Amino acid sequence: MRRSGSKFLRSDTDAAYEETLRRLDDQRLLRKLHPVCGESGHVRVHDVDGRALISFSSNDYLGLAHHPKVKGAAIDATEVHGVGSGASRLITGTHPVHLLLEEAIAEFKGVKAALTFANGYATASGFATAFLSRKSIVILDKLSHACLIDSCRLSGAKVRVFRHNDLDKLEALLRWADGQPDKDRVVIMTESVFSMDGDLAPLAEIVSLKDRYGAQLLLDEAHGVGVIGAQGRGLAADLNLTDRIDYHMGTLGKALGVAGGYLAGSQAMVDILINKARSFIYSTAPPPILAVAARAALEIAKGKEGEERREILRGLMARLAEETGQPESPAAIFPYQIGDEAAALAQAFALQESGFYVPAIRYPTVARGAARLRLTLTADHTCGQIQALTRAMADYAARHGAV
Ligand SMILES: *Cc1c(COP(=O)(O)O)cnc(C)c1O
C-alpha cells in the first residue's frame, strides 16, 4: 500500500473498504441502514418516503416502548434528573434510581441482587472480565448470541461449542472439561429463547447436567423475560429452576421496551461485577431516566396489564402459527426459513413493496445458506395485520414457486 509520510492515503484505504463492501454485496451479505420511523409504536412505521409499513421486526413484545406510563415516567424523570449521567457510577456516585431498578429486577427474577449495564452486549463483556480467565472453560450452545461468543473471546477462556440443544454433545464436553487440569471454572452459556429461531433450551436437562459435572450456568433470557411464564418472569422461573442458575442475564431493551442489560444472582456475584466488570466500571452510567422508565415498564410487565398483553400476544402467536401452518411457537419469534441470501433479501424487499417491514436475517447472524425472514409479534399487532402479512407471503410464494 502507498503511504504518504506515516499516514495512509485516505483514497487507498477507502478503495480497500469499497472493495470489501462490494464483495459483501456480491454475496448478498451487505448490510445497510433503512431509515424507518414509528408512528405510535413499533408496529405502524413509515419510511423516508412517508410510505406506511406494518412492521414485524421489533422485540418490543409487550408494546411497552411507547406505553404512556413508561413515556410519562421518562418525561417526568427528565425534568428532575436531566439527561446524561455524567460519569461511571463508581466516579460520580450511584443514582438511587439505578439501585431501585436493580432491587426491582432482583425481586422480579427471584434472586438476591442485580446489576445493570448500558445494554445486553456490555453485560456479557462485563461478565467475561469479571468471571472468566484463560483458565476458564466455556461451553456454549452453537446458536448463542454474538455477545456471548464475543465475551468468551474477550476473556481468552477455552471455548467449546455444542450443537444447538444437543444434550449428548453438551455432556461429552462437560466430561472433557471435567478432566482438564488447572481450570478455574466451567461455565455453560445458553439462551432460554433463541433469538433467531424462537425455540427454547431444554433448561431442566441442562441444569441437571451442570449440577452433575459441577459446572456453572449463565442463562440469557433476552427473549424470555416479559414473554414466558407467570408475570413474564422467564423460563427459569417458569420451570422453578431460579435457584439452580448461577448467572441470570437479560436485557431491558426488548420486552421491557427501554434499554439496558442486567446480570442477577447472588450479592457476592454482583459485588464482583462492581469490582471487575470493565464495561460497568469504565463506562458512563446509563441515564437515570432510562432506569426510571425501565422500572415503570417492569411494573407493568409483571402486573395485570402485562398479563393481559401476554394474553393478547399469545393469541396473535397462535394465529400466526395457524396462518402459516407452522407449529405453535413458545415465544414471539417466527423464523421463516428461506436458505439462500439473495432469495431472502428479494422476499423482504417484495414484502416492503406490499407494505410490510420484515427483516431478512443473513450470515453471520445465522449460518451461511440459512437465511430467513424473522417475524416478531408484539401485543400491539392485530389479527388483521397478521392475516394481511401471511396473505402477502403466500402470494409471493405462489408467484416465485417458493415453499
Ligand atoms: C439482543 C440480545 C442481547 C443483547 O442485548 P442488548 O440490550 O440489545 O445489547 C443479548 N442476548 C440475546 C440473546 C439477545 O437477543
Side-chain angles (χ1 to χ4, degrees), residues 48-132:
V48 276
D49 302 325
R51 185 172 45 178
L53 298 166
I54 304 298
S55 173
F56 290 89
S57 64
S58 142
N59 302 317
D60 177 25
Y61 301 119
L62 299 178
L64 296 182
H66 290 252
H67 191 286
K69 280 192 188 149
V70 179
K71 287 201 290 190
I75 291 164
D76 292 348
T78 306
E79 292 296 341
V80 181
H81 306 303
V83 180
S85 65
S88 159
R89 287 168 64 184
L90 290 165
I91 299 294
T92 35
T94 276
H95 201 294
V97 297
H98 286 128
L99 298 175
L100 287 171
L101 172 62
E102 285 159 353
E103 232 170 77
I105 292 171
E107 191 268 336
F108 178 66
K109 295 299 296 179
V111 296
K112 283 281 187 307
L115 191 73
T116 53
F117 293 74
N119 50 54
Y121 193 99
T123 306
S125 78
F127 171 81
T129 57
F131 293 107
L132 300 178

Side-chain angles (χ1 to χ4, degrees), residues 59 61 117-124 143-148 190-196 220-223 249-254 258-262 333 374:
N59 302 317
Y61 301 119
F117 293 74
N119 50 54
Y121 193 99
T123 306
L143 297 189
S144 292
H145 192 265
C147 71
L148 299 180
T190 191
E191 300 174 22
S192 59
V193 174
F194 283 85
S195 61
M196 295 300 137
D220 183 353
E221 294 242 39
H223 297 274
M249 178 177 150
T251 173
L252 306 172
K254 287 171 180 156
V258 186
Y262 64 82
I333 301 166
R374 174 183 183 262

Side-chain angles (χ1 to χ4, degrees), residues 90 113-117 122-131 247-248 262-281:
L90 290 165
L115 191 73
T116 53
F117 293 74
T123 306
S125 78
F127 171 81
T129 57
F131 293 107
Y247 312 98
H248 294 269
Y262 64 82
L263 271 162
S266 71
Q267 185 63 54
M269 190 269 288
V270 163
D271 291 342
I272 292 284
L273 284 171
I274 292 170
N275 284 275
K276 298 197 169 195
R278 295 171 69 85
S279 59
F280 175 84
I281 299 169

Side-chain angles (χ1 to χ4, degrees), residues 96-173:
V97 297
H98 286 128
L99 298 175
L100 287 171
L101 172 62
E102 285 159 353
E103 232 170 77
I105 292 171
E107 191 268 336
F108 178 66
K109 295 299 296 179
V111 296
K112 283 281 187 307
L115 191 73
T116 53
F117 293 74
N119 50 54
Y121 193 99
T123 306
S125 78
F127 171 81
T129 57
F131 293 107
L132 300 178
S133 75
R134 282 175 196 287
K135 289 183 159 186
S136 311
I137 296 173
V138 179
I139 304 178
L140 189 76
D141 186 287
K142 171 104 172 123
L143 297 189
S144 292
H145 192 265
C147 71
L148 299 180
I149 298 166
D150 295 354
S151 77
C152 296
R153 286 190 183 142
L154 177 66
S155 70
K158 255 189 216 159
V159 181
R160 292 293 181 275
V161 172
F162 59 100
R163 200 166 59 183
H164 178 51
N165 282 348
D166 184 334
L167 293 165
D168 290 339
K169 188 77 205 247
L170 169 61
E171 180 161 16
L173 288 172

Side-chain angles (χ1 to χ4, degrees), residues 283-295:
S283 185
T284 303
I289 53 172
L290 295 187
V292 172
R295 195 153 63 95

